[in-house]
Amino acid sequence: MAVLELENVHAYYGMIHALKGVSLAVGEGEIVTLIGSNGAGKSTTLKAISGLVRPRDGRISLEGRPIGGLKAHEIAEKRVAHCPEGRKIFPRLSVRENLEMGAFVCRSTAEVKQSLEKVTELFPRLRERLGQKGGTLSGGEQQMLAIARALMMQPRILLLDEPSMGLAPVLVEQIFQIIQNLNRAGTTILLVEQNALQALQVAHRGYVIQTGNIVLADKAAHLRQNEMVRRVYLGES
Amino acid sequence: MREIAQMFPQVVVDGLTLGFVYALVALGYTMIYGVLEFINFAHSEVFMFGAFAGTEVLLALKASGLMATFTPVGSLFVSLLAGTVLTGLLGVVMEKIAYRPLRSAPRLVPLISAIGVSFFLQDAVRLVEGLWHNAFYVSAPTLFAGGWSPSPTVRIPTKSMILILVCLGIMLGLSLFVGRTKLGKALRAVAQDQATSSLMGINVDRIISLTFLIGAGLGGAAGTLFSLQYTLIHPYVGFILGIKAFTAAVFGGIGSIPGAMVGGVLLGVFEAFASAFLGPLTHGAFGAEYKDVFAFIILILVLIFKPSGLLGQSATEKA
Ligand SMILES: Nc1ncnc2c1ncn2[C@@H]1O[C@H](COP(=O)(O)OP(=O)(O)O)[C@@H](O)[C@H]1O
Ligand SMILES: [Mg+2]
């Protein structure tokens, strides 16, 4: 059974029909990427999953159980971690407090402590900066904090929205390496990217979204060879 | 000049007493602003409600003879607790009914709603007190008479010392709650970014209710302490005091908890100084009645040189 499944999901912003029947699935242990150009509906898809946008039609299920229509905090309780576009760390909370908020759904302090141990091992730079305010971190460090914060709840699935956005090439490499390592350690990931080249290199499967419709779905290796993908998203002629 | 030097310590005592009341009320404005970026203009009436709630409980204790068994400290505790909790609950209900339905409305709309809540509370309290006591002016019973005179020109009333100690205790508790506890951290997270907070599993509506519970509760505690200190209360007692406390919150930096504490205490002290010394210093050209003007001049000066207030974050820092 898929960890996450969307069937024919529609979502609106007022009159704007942003998702026009999106269907996709993410299986246990997979990295699935959702690629598409600016304004295609990638972020809206993640927001529909995590409850920031209420889907008007269709089904969203987590391990077979419907979660569509639940409030965002209720979906987080089910350990769906959404690492939003633009990082969205809490600038006036310390790095440690940011991480603690990531574990807000965890009831036991021992569990929080253990998660904190684990993520600071993954991100040693954050360990050195635990007492610093989030807003004082560099762009790359903030992205690491955003991912680390999402991992604090020990998510069933991790939704990543353009984690490479606005980062220097070296850092982009590093972020994709981290994503791959997380996945190898067992995290199921739905990765939204405009950086299709890198995304298709780490992902197992991919979907291409255009103006609210899924237009292609295939193995990542096949998508890399696809004529249209190469032309539109990989910038080849 | 000698006269001023002699009065000085007494003026500081009086200013601090009033300043701590301002600070406690200012905290309510600043906490709600911090989370919702909304000025709860009904907070002055929340304070007034707290004054009546605490006082009525005290009067009931007195009438039933329980005040004697409770001792003054016990009576203070009971009335303060009742004033705080009842007013806190009023805050929660007020938010649910008057503000929550308007959360996505344009910013001016909840402001108008707040003004409506103000009038409603004034008239409701006036009606109930009028029916109950046949008068809407109420005097709080004296709990702590006496005082301490370290020198012939200074007298520190016991009730002032108690008021300041209680305020300091409440402020310490609030700081620990907001700074150290999981819910306090969630409150700060919601103040910074509601959508992202909800992604953490934080129930944003609950945190907003909690903010109103605490913010209004602090107003209620301030009201109870105020009526014990200054005795006479009426349904309009919150109006000017509320404006001053709001001023203190802006002065300290609206949205900043330490800012409200510092701003409130400073404003109280400035006001006491102005009230005592404007006359002698200007040889009678300006009397004590100019104290409010003086307080506002200081506020304006601070805001000209630091628009975000003493301890506030500038708009760019907040982003
Ligand atoms: N808050 C919003 N209000 C109105 N329209 C929005 C909002 N967010 C996104 N949209 C619109 O929805 C469509 C999809 O946006 P989005 O999901 O953010 O695209 P992507 O993440 O793929 O760049 C776009 O046409 C965008 O303009
Ligand atoms: Mg996007």
Side-chain angles (χ1 to χ4, degrees), chain A residues 105-147:
Chain A
V105 298
C106 304
R107 296 276 172 264
S108 88
T109 46
E111 198 184 341
V112 179
K113 227 174 168 175
Q114 205 182 346
S115 291
L116 194 80
E117 244 347 279
K118 224 165 89 184
V119 302
T120 49
E121 210 166 289
L122 266 167
F123 299 99
R125 293 172 77 98
L126 295 181
R127 194 201 297 267
E128 298 157 21
R129 290 166 174 73
L130 281 176
Q132 224 167 298
K133 291 261 180 288
T136 64
L137 299 184
S138 72
E141 287 162 355
Q142 290 194 10
Q143 186 59 63
M144 309 224 174
L145 176 55
I147 296 176

Side-chain angles (χ1 to χ4, degrees), chain A residues 12-14 16-19 35-47 53 85 161-162 192 194 209 211-212:
Chain A
Y12 294 77
Y13 295 102
I16 299 171
H17 195 175
L19 299 184
I35 57 180
S37 41
N38 214 353
K42 305 182 297 296
S43 298
T44 307
T45 305
L46 295 193
K47 286 179 185 168
V53 166
E85 184 175 334
D161 198 342
E162 303 209 31
V192 156
Q194 274 197 65
I209 184 169
T211 59

Side-chain angles (χ1 to χ4, degrees), chain A residues 3-41:
Chain A
V3 175
L4 178 75
E5 195 162 6
L6 280 72
E7 289 169 73
N8 195 30
V9 170
H10 289 259
Y12 294 77
Y13 295 102
M15 299 295 288
I16 299 171
H17 195 175
L19 299 184
K20 302 167 186 164
V22 167
S23 300
L24 58 81
V26 184
E28 176 81 55
E30 271 191 310
I31 302 185
V32 170
T33 185
L34 179 63
I35 57 180
S37 41
N38 214 353

Side-chain angles (χ1 to χ4, degrees), chain B residues 4 11 25 31 34 43 63 108 116 139 149 154 171 176 202 214 250-251 258 269 272 276 315 319:
Chain B
I4 290 179
V11 172
V25 180
M31 285 194 67
H43 193 59
L108 271 178
S139 295
S149 291
V154 197
M171 289 173 176
L176 288 177
I202 298 169
I214 297 173
V250 174
F251 179 41
V269 173

Side-chain angles (χ1 to χ4, degrees), chain A residues 46-58:
Chain A
L46 295 193
K47 286 179 185 168
I49 297 167
S50 65
L52 285 182
V53 166
R54 186 176 272 251
R56 202 179 290 175
D57 204 358

Side-chain angles (χ1 to χ4, degrees), chain B residues 10 15 21 64 99 112 205 241 267 276 293:
Chain B
Q10 186 63 51
V21 175
S64 63
Y99 304 144
I112 303 296
D205 282 340
L241 192 137
L267 188 70
V293 178

Side-chain angles (χ1 to χ4, degrees), chain B residues 34-246:
Chain B
V35 170
L36 287 181
E37 301 205 350
F38 156 72
I39 306 292
N40 179 20
F41 276 116
H43 193 59
S44 44
E45 274 58 52
V46 167
F47 161 84
M48 177 275 294
F49 178 91
F52 275 94
T55 305
E56 287 296 353
V57 168
L58 209 52
L59 287 172
L61 287 182
K62 192 178 177 189
S64 63
L66 278 172
M67 210 158 109
T69 39
F70 277 1
T71 72
V73 175
S75 302
L76 171 74
F77 181 77
V78 171
S79 63
L80 195 58
L81 190 69
T84 307
V85 172
L86 290 173
T87 314
L89 293 177
L90 171 77
V92 173
V93 172
M94 178 173 79
E95 190 268 334
K96 277 233 162 78
I97 295 175
Y99 304 144
R100 187 169 299 186
L102 303 173
R103 218 181 273 162
S104 53
R107 298 175 84 86
L108 271 178
V109 176
L111 232 49
I112 303 296
S113 185
I115 294 172
V117 172
S118 281
F119 285 129
F120 173 80
L121 286 176
Q122 280 175 358
D123 289 342
V125 169
R126 182 176 169 152
L127 177 72
V128 170
E129 292 295 321
L131 290 174
W132 195 351
H133 301 297
N134 242 336
F136 54 82
Y137 281 74
V138 173
S139 295
T142 305
L143 277 185
F144 304 95
W148 177 54
S149 291
S151 85
T153 55
V154 197
R155 191 180 132 81
I156 310 177
T158 311
K159 59 184 183 183
S160 294
M161 287 189 266
I162 286 175
L163 182 143
I164 291 175
L165 281 179
V166 170
C167 285
L168 284 173
I170 290 175
M171 289 173 176
L172 179 69
L174 179 70
S175 303
L176 288 177
F177 172 75
V178 172
R180 303 277 173 83
T181 66
K182 185 172 169 180
L183 269 182
K185 290 171 194 175
L187 193 148
R188 283 186 289 141
V190 169
Q192 294 174 46
D193 187 337
Q194 292 190 11
T196 305
S197 298
S198 71
L199 291 180
M200 308 289 114
I202 298 169
N203 184 341
V204 171
D205 282 340
R206 277 247 190 94
I207 295 290
I208 290 173
S209 289
L210 175 73
T211 308
F212 272 84
L213 180 75
I214 297 173
L218 292 170
T224 306
L225 290 169
F226 176 90
S227 85
L228 286 174
Q229 185 72 26
Y230 303 103
T231 312
L232 192 66
I233 55 169
H234 53 82
Y236 310 102
V237 73
F239 180 61
I240 295 286
L241 192 137
I243 291 181
K244 293 217 185 121
F246 170 58

